[in-house]
């Protein structure tokens, strides 16, 4: 047992200074000053939760803050708001470290989309800004211009959204499907698509097939006749609008065009149903 007067030796000297809380320096990793500034930029300026973004896109951890600010400035210069940019970055965090200069130039100059339309398209489909120009955007635009003969300048919004899709995997199969099931020639099918470009984004199995089957089998209408008259038929919910309104017409033995049947509000539809039933009873 040590005597009360015994003194312990002092701890050995060390040449390594103690670590600073939260990491040190201005580098991009760990918890340094620059890293904390990036967290503040993402959370306070873009109102995004930074940690899911870091998990989805680890290069954010080491990217310099000026690069992130440059990506935001690029989107703002094309008419997007800070809130719009946040939605884009949340969907594709990689755009924070790889600014979409080429897609934006292509969409602005080649499509061409003026700032309000470009903003609407980017917010609706952020992957437009993440898509490859040579592999996706340019082939899709060429398909719409040459195959569908959609030559409106600028492209309508519904068509602009299609530029993010693959021609071989998405756009061309829908055109060929409509050609096969309706028996219409290519010019007639393309005329339908020019009036309702969004058809090219609908799933064949989940949208086009069940609605065409219902139109032909349940409603007894010829798609080759009805679709050129009202190509927006596919935009309406089968269970939410098409089926219940058809059943209401069938029960009262009332005939109505697809356009009148589907585009009217609930109150307008009921009024038309009553008017048609009264006219038929006279």
């Amino acid at each position: 047992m040590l005597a009360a007067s015994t003194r312990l030796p002092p701890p050995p000297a060390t040449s390594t200074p103690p670590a600073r809380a939260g990491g040190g320096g201005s580098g991009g990793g760990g918890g340094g000053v620059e890293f904390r500034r990036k967290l503040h930029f993402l959370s306070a300026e873009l109102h995004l939760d930074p940690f899911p973004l870091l998990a989805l896109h680890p290069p954010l951890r080491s990217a310099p803050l000026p690069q992130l600010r440059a990506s935001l400035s690029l989107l703002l210069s094309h008419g997007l708001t800070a809130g719009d940019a946040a939605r884009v970055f949340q969907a594709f965090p990689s755009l924070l470290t790889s600014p979409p200069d080429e897609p934006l130039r292509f969409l602005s100059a080649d499509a061409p989309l003026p700032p309000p339309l470009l903003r609407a398209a980017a917010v609706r489909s952020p992957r437009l800004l993440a898509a490859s120009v040579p592999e996706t955007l340019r082939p899709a635009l060429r398909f719409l211009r040459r195959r569908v003969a959609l030559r409106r300048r600028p492209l309508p919004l519904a068509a602009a959204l299609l530029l993010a899709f693959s021609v071989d995997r998405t756009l061309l199969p829908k055109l060929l499907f409509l050609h096969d099931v309706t028996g219409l020639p290519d010019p007639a099918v393309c005329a339908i698509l020019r009036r309702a470009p969004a058809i090219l984004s609908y799933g064949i199995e989940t949208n086009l097939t069940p609605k065409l089957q219902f139109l032909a089998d349940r409603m007894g209408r010829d798609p080759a006749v009805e679709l050129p008259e009202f190509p927006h038929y596919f935009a309406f919910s089968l269970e939410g609008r098409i089926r219940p309104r058809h059943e209401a017409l069938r029960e009262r033995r009332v005939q109505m065009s697809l356009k009148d049947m589907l585009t009217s509000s609930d109150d307008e539809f009921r009024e038309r149903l009553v008017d048609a039933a009264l006219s038929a009873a006279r």
Side-chain angles (χ1 to χ4, degrees):
M1 184 172 181
L2 294 173
S5 61
T6 304
R7 301 182 59 174
L8 296 177
T14 174
S15 60
T16 303
R20 294 171 61 185
S26 59
V33 173
E34 179 76 359
F35 182 68
R36 292 197 296 273
R37 286 175 178 162
K38 284 188 290 188
L39 294 182
H40 182 269
F41 168 74
L42 294 171
S43 61
E45 296 187 38
L46 291 179
H47 304 288
L48 295 171
D49 185 346
F51 298 104
L53 298 183
L54 290 167
L56 289 170
H57 188 57
L60 269 177
R61 187 173 293 275
S62 58
L65 178 58
Q67 184 179 31
L68 310 191
R69 291 194 177 279
S71 296
L72 172 60
S73 296
L74 178 65
L75 297 190
L76 298 181
S77 71
H78 282 79
L80 279 75
T81 67
D84 300 333
R87 291 183 61 178
V88 170
F89 293 142
Q90 187 169 38
F92 291 93
S94 60
L95 295 179
L96 279 161
T97 58
S98 299
D101 300 84
E102 288 189 24
L104 283 169
R105 279 197 301 269
F106 178 85
L107 293 170
S108 298
D110 294 68
L113 304 180
L117 188 54
L118 175 57
R119 176 196 175 197
V123 171
R124 287 275 299 276
S125 179
R127 63 176 171 169
L128 281 168
L129 304 186
S132 163
V133 171
E135 295 178 9
T136 304
L137 298 180
R138 184 170 289 116
L141 180 62
R142 187 180 300 119
F143 173 83
L144 294 175
R145 295 294 194 207
R146 298 180 182 178
R147 184 62 186 272
V148 181
L150 181 57
R151 299 190 176 94
R152 290 172 54 187
R153 296 176 71 88
L155 284 176
L157 178 59
L161 299 176
L162 298 174
L163 297 178
F165 292 98
S166 163
V167 171
D168 293 334
R169 293 193 303 271
T170 302
L171 304 181
L172 181 59
K174 310 296 175 51
L175 187 153
L176 297 177
F177 172 79
L178 288 177
H179 171 77
D180 291 342
V181 298
T182 63
L184 292 169
D186 266 14
V189 172
C190 290
I192 291 172
L193 296 176
R194 285 195 297 272
R195 291 180 59 197
I199 292 174
L200 290 171
S201 68
Y202 299 151
I204 291 177
E205 299 299 327
T206 59
N207 185 310
L208 303 182
T209 295
K211 290 178 183 176
L212 282 170
Q213 288 177 340
F214 188 85
L215 182 65
D217 299 341
R218 183 67 178 175
M219 301 176 70
R221 304 195 190 205
D222 184 354
V225 174
E226 298 290 346
L227 294 182
E229 290 291 328
F230 187 62
H232 301 283
Y233 166 74
F234 295 107
F236 296 90
S237 166
L238 178 58
E239 299 303 327
R241 178 159 294 200
I242 298 173
R243 187 188 300 275
R245 292 201 174 183
H246 165 70
E247 294 299 333
L249 292 173
R250 185 183 62 83
E251 290 172 3
R252 293 164 177 80
R253 298 181 182 180
V254 172
Q255 297 294 321
M256 193 177 291
S257 70
L258 284 181
K259 182 178 180 179
D260 289 341
M261 167 185 158
L262 297 175
T263 61
S264 56
S265 67
D266 290 340
D267 290 339
E268 291 171 338
F269 178 73
R270 283 191 290 266
E271 289 177 7
R272 288 178 177 178
L273 197 61
V274 171
D275 291 344
L278 292 174
S279 297
R282 289 172 186 166

